[in-house]
Amino acid sequence: MPTITDSYPAAPDSALPNRRSFLRKSALTALLAPVAVGALAACTAVEEEPARAAGSPPPPPPKSRREVADEMDRLHEAGVKAFPAKTAGKGNQLMAPVMDGRVKVYRVRASEIQWETEPGKKVTAWAYNDQVPGPMIRVREGDRVRVELENALLESTTIHFHGLEIPNDQDGVPFITQPPVKPGEKFTYEFTVTNSGSHMYHSHHNSAKQVGLGLLGAFVVEPRRPRAVERADVDYTMILNDGSHGYTLNGKGFPATEPIVAKLGQTVRIRFMNEGMMIHPMHLHGMHMTIIDKDGWAQPAPWKCDTINVAPGERWDAIVKCDKKGTWALHCHILPHAESQHGMFGMVTALVVG
Amino acid sequence: MPTITDSYPAAPDSALPNRRSFLRKSALTALLAPVAVGALAACTAVEEEPARAAGSPPPPPPKSRREVADEMDRLHEAGVKAFPAKTAGKGNQLMAPVMDGRVKVYRVRASEIQWETEPGKKVTAWAYNDQVPGPMIRVREGDRVRVELENALLESTTIHFHGLEIPNDQDGVPFITQPPVKPGEKFTYEFTVTNSGSHMYHSHHNSAKQVGLGLLGAFVVEPRRPRAVERADVDYTMILNDGSHGYTLNGKGFPATEPIVAKLGQTVRIRFMNEGMMIHPMHLHGMHMTIIDKDGWAQPAPWKCDTINVAPGERWDAIVKCDKKGTWALHCHILPHAESQHGMFGMVTALVVG
Amino acid sequence: MPTITDSYPAAPDSALPNRRSFLRKSALTALLAPVAVGALAACTAVEEEPARAAGSPPPPPPKSRREVADEMDRLHEAGVKAFPAKTAGKGNQLMAPVMDGRVKVYRVRASEIQWETEPGKKVTAWAYNDQVPGPMIRVREGDRVRVELENALLESTTIHFHGLEIPNDQDGVPFITQPPVKPGEKFTYEFTVTNSGSHMYHSHHNSAKQVGLGLLGAFVVEPRRPRAVERADVDYTMILNDGSHGYTLNGKGFPATEPIVAKLGQTVRIRFMNEGMMIHPMHLHGMHMTIIDKDGWAQPAPWKCDTINVAPGERWDAIVKCDKKGTWALHCHILPHAESQHGMFGMVTALVVG
């Protein structure tokens, strides 16, 4: 049986700024040439020392390989110990509608904000109601819904309800189904929701930029008659992204990602949604996932896996029967989206079964 | 209910050359570092102004943010209004066989041509019978087929019948099943087609280059006994590509892509085929797709989605029951394959239900 | 019927070093910007001539297009004729356990080695027991297993048993379930194997680097009661990779990859496992694959295809009924992972039905 030490020396504070700056560097590197990250990671920390200016004091003696290895471990530990790290702002919060008779009214304001993806890392975001992802809209099959969009951005936008089967004039494609909504203007969408499941809403104008900057959110539709297979104690929506904000789960990178928490014996439903530009094969440790829905539609028969490949625009719903205690890693298995020499980052969280 | 304006000011002609040159630029950018496109798109048009030569007249005053936003809208509108734009050449045209007794004979000539992927954008292509994709071969299960390849290129080539279960010596792999077909030479393939479904034919010699340049086509085999689930009023084959010709559907980029047209209540079958190097998760607006076949083989049970992830070499057959009027966008949901600040481009078309 | 020549002129020896250096170049290119490879491949060999130093003898006259084409054919032929090429080292060898009572004990030592991926191409690898992939661990459902890890590297490491449902403290995630195993130290994992199927073991510390360098292997669990559908005459495990070692199948690139050999009428099971950073849609020529398992779990119903898209972290089990004689190519259909102007390379092998 393994010997496990429960306490480790704390990482020195000095390690943290170093880690931060690496993360910024690595995010840029990832954008430019993601597949080269593995190769870069093969460089040792020693080789990353900056060039010394003429006349500056002599550098400290080079670190031994063991010192380098220990420093790497400390950075990894600091990340894990910080999880879940506090950051300003929380995306994907459930939005309560205002009722207009029997119509559920949601007010959505698009504007530019600063968004903290992990402690100390702020990025420019275009957000609905100051959240990345935008607030979750959650209704019931058959509901009448009105979404009032206010454009507080400096360019035009629209909303497309990705996955909802609604009339063409509510589809949000500029110059095909509506004019773009100019800066300072408003636009109202209204429709009856006829199909249930895990859907999304996002910009459909200049979308590579606008969705990349954060104009996206979950649109979950509860069925009138839930199937037995989809009943869950915990219902969790996880939006994957990989744009200019780095690799994120619900707008945050590890260690600022949110753990999913369940009790032993409980059932968790995870609604994976990809709003990025790359696939993300999400891997759960220790327990399997039973895939029940694709894009809000029931699969003919549920099927089991531990790694579900989620492509851009797709939604996959998974059920996990939490039959094993522990903190179980849940992460993208494209490893450069999840870990560097400076520790885990980006698309990493955990399912904590207590 | 939304207010929808049906007429918009026309885009000035001056906007179009600008758009064209951007598309060329962005195609190159996409090839070099596709994931950075989102980041690039975050630059404003203002920042894209070229450097001014010494002694040239003073530049016009910088545009206001609103002017930049309006210009972006005009470029988007121009693209949509041009759809479907006329270009020279049409790929994937059904080829009629010459009958030799009971053998269906197809003559296929590989040569270098110029190919217009969108209005004004010409690329060098290696093509079968001057088409990209090559002409569609469409036969019936059990047919005897002869394909006479003439190589009018300056390098050797072969044809592989991707997905067909034919004898090994007809498989088209140079130095394993046949010698390469030298420039100026001919080679004849002949076989009985034993499995039905959506297949492809393409070069299997120096294929990263030759298929990338256009030596590819659809090979559709109708079953002797069609299943009820596969009967459709409209049968459409869509070959996805992402090589040196840019992001294309059947050899054309938006707005020169071809809409799929159906009447309300009709059933459309879309045969997605990927001849590129990247996945393309194709997303249909407003209606779902029922996936019936993978690589020409029936799925155990049809299943529904709105986004079907098509990997290189794969074929997925989808049935759409057109129960909603309108022009429904159908596009790759890797957004930088479909839209830039200068409008929709590349892998975008529409299913028009009239 | 085609005329097939069975013998071709041998490639001159001089062609081989040229091919080698190209492969090295192309591997680097692939790492930096894989999608640009197609574009690069469009350059002719003529354009690849190096610049001539001043005062050196006049260059030979430029080659004709036909000479260039013939040279390309010779390089392709040389690769095919060399297959399967001999290289030092073989990965994925079945490891016999040492029995400690009823416990199967596996000793795994992580260290840095030189690894030959194709004739003459040596790379630095981090390996378990000097193999890339590490030795195959193959047990039976219900077995008690002990894995003794010795870390002979210069940085810390751990092992994660990817897909196995084992207690949390055996899960191998540093600082969550155990401390990292320091250089020179040992760590023992012990657990009862409760779920069968195709699984993996690999580093979970600094994993983008460590797995990329080779710290990975197959962990296959035979079920207590095999289903009829999974019985096979040949059981083959194929680990896909795309890191700093280039594009490999079981640690080797074509022509050093291993053919799968079967007799006519036999059934082959291929366990595809992806330990890389990219998808690899594996395409089999001439015969279809019946997909039976995903991540070690039975699919609700087997389904047929000729191209199976394997994402990082995924395992897909395929059954092939070998009903056609011949040498059938089996390769990644992202063509720049499989072929360049200098011949097939990387993720190419064959299923030989004799």
Side-chain angles (χ1 to χ4, degrees), chain C residues 28-42:
Chain C
L28 177 63
T29 305
L31 277 169
L32 291 175
V35 283
V37 168
L40 284 179

Side-chain angles (χ1 to χ4, degrees), chain B residues 217-286:
Chain B
F219 198 120
V220 172
V221 184
E222 291 169 10
R224 287 215 160 266
R225 280 179 230 87
R227 294 158 290 153
V229 77
E230 68 182 313
R231 287 206 182 95
D233 301 297
V234 177
D235 187 326
Y236 193 84
T237 296
M238 184 182 290
I239 302 186
L240 318 173
N241 219 335
D242 52 38
S244 55
H245 298 168
Y247 298 113
T248 57
L249 305 178
N250 288 338
K252 306 283 177 175
F254 185 88
T257 48
E258 183 182 38
I260 307 174
V261 179
K263 287 182 195 136
L264 191 67
Q266 282 191 323
T267 297
V268 172
R269 177 182 195 157
I270 309 176
R271 303 171 186 263
F272 294 103
M273 305 183 174
N274 188 336
E275 283 280 19
M277 299 176 279
M278 308 172 195
I279 59 152
H280 298 292
M282 298 301 294
H283 172 57
L284 176 64
H285 285 219

Side-chain angles (χ1 to χ4, degrees), chain B:
Chain B
M1 296 297 293
T3 310
I4 291 176
T5 309
D6 281 313
S7 65
Y8 312 103
D13 282 348
S14 65
L16 290 171
N18 186 10
R19 182 165 177 274
R20 291 285 124 62
S21 77
F22 175 85
L23 288 178
R24 271 183 226 107
K25 260 196 299 175
S26 74
L28 177 65
T29 306
L31 278 168
L32 292 173
V35 284
V37 168
L40 284 180
C43 305
T44 71
V46 170
E47 292 162 357
E48 285 169 11
E49 297 291 339
R52 187 162 60 98
S56 60
K63 286 172 188 160
S64 71
R65 290 297 299 261
R66 177 59 189 253
E67 284 171 323
V68 169
D70 286 347
E71 187 174 316
M72 184 188 83
D73 291 348
R74 279 193 299 271
L75 291 169
H76 276 69
E77 184 180 19
V80 170
K81 289 280 147 74
F83 174 73
K86 275 193 88 160
T87 47
K90 179 172 157 57
N92 200 30
Q93 295 181 57
L94 183 64
M95 177 160 44
V98 174
M99 298 305 297
D100 178 8
R102 297 182 59 178
V103 182
K104 290 183 172 173
V105 182
Y106 296 90
R107 294 197 181 111
V108 171
R109 184 175 176 274
S111 69
E112 181 170 314
I113 63 167
Q114 293 297 299
W115 184 251
E116 193 176 32
T117 60
E118 55 176 277
K121 186 187 169 193
K122 293 211 175 166
V123 297
T124 295
W126 289 13
Y128 294 129
N129 297 4
D130 302 332
Q131 296 178 37
V132 181
M136 181 193 286
I137 297 176
R138 191 171 183 121
V139 301
R140 206 159 161 236
E141 193 185 344
D143 280 355
R144 186 77 181 170
V145 170
R146 188 181 302 149
V147 176
E148 298 178 354
L149 168 64
E150 177 190 349
N151 183 3
L153 296 164
L154 291 171
E155 73 179 44
S156 305
T157 192
T158 65
I159 294 179
H160 167 59
F161 298 91
H162 181 107
L164 294 186
E165 306 207 339
I166 54 180
N168 195 247
D169 60 3
Q170 305 303 303
D171 194 43
V173 182
F175 304 109
I176 294 181
T177 69
Q178 68 166 88
V181 185
K182 296 278 186 185
E185 294 188 355
K186 296 186 180 185
F187 192 89
T188 300
Y189 300 91
E190 187 173 323
F191 46 82
T192 299
V193 173
T194 60
N195 61 315
S196 65
S198 299
H199 305 295
M200 307 191 289
Y201 67 104
H202 55 222
S203 165
H204 209 284
H205 189 46
N206 198 16
S207 59
K209 175 183 176 180
Q210 295 194 359
V211 177
L213 282 169
L215 291 179
L216 59 98
F219 198 120
V220 172
V221 184
E222 291 169 10
R224 287 215 160 266
R225 280 179 230 87
R227 294 158 290 153
V229 77
E230 68 182 313
R231 287 206 182 95
D233 301 297
V234 177
D235 187 326
Y236 193 84
T237 296
M238 184 182 290
I239 302 186
L240 318 173
N241 219 335
D242 52 38
S244 55
H245 298 168
Y247 298 113
T248 57
L249 305 178
N250 288 338
K252 306 283 177 175
F254 185 88
T257 48
E258 183 182 38
I260 307 174
V261 179
K263 287 182 195 136
L264 191 67
Q266 282 191 323
T267 297
V268 172
R269 177 182 195 157
I270 309 176
R271 303 171 186 263
F272 294 103
M273 305 183 174
N274 188 336
E275 283 280 19
M277 299 176 279
M278 308 172 195
I279 59 152
H280 298 292
M282 298 301 294
H283 172 57
L284 176 64
H285 285 219
M287 295 174 295
H288 57 273
M289 301 185 274
T290 300
I291 303 298
I292 56 166
D293 283 10
K294 163 80 170 96
D295 299 348
W297 298 100
Q299 288 275 282
W303 50 276
K304 294 175 185 176
C305 67
D306 55 58
T307 306
I308 178 75
N309 184 25
V310 190
E314 288 190 326
R315 290 89 66 210
W316 288 99
D317 284 30
I319 296 283
V320 182
K321 178 83 183 153
C322 298
D323 57 6
K324 279 209 180 65
K325 269 198 181 183
T327 296
W328 298 104
L330 170 57
H331 61 91
C332 178
H333 213 280
I334 298 181
L335 298 178
H337 297 185
E339 195 174 24
S340 81
Q341 223 161 212
H342 294 244
M344 293 195 290
F345 75 98
M347 304 183 116
V348 178
T349 187
L351 171 52
V352 181
V353 181

Side-chain angles (χ1 to χ4, degrees), chain C residues 90-107:
Chain C
K90 179 172 155 56
N92 199 29
Q93 295 180 58
L94 184 64
M95 176 160 46
V98 174
M99 298 304 297
D100 178 9
R102 297 182 59 178
V103 181
K104 291 183 172 172
V105 182
Y106 295 91
R107 293 197 181 111

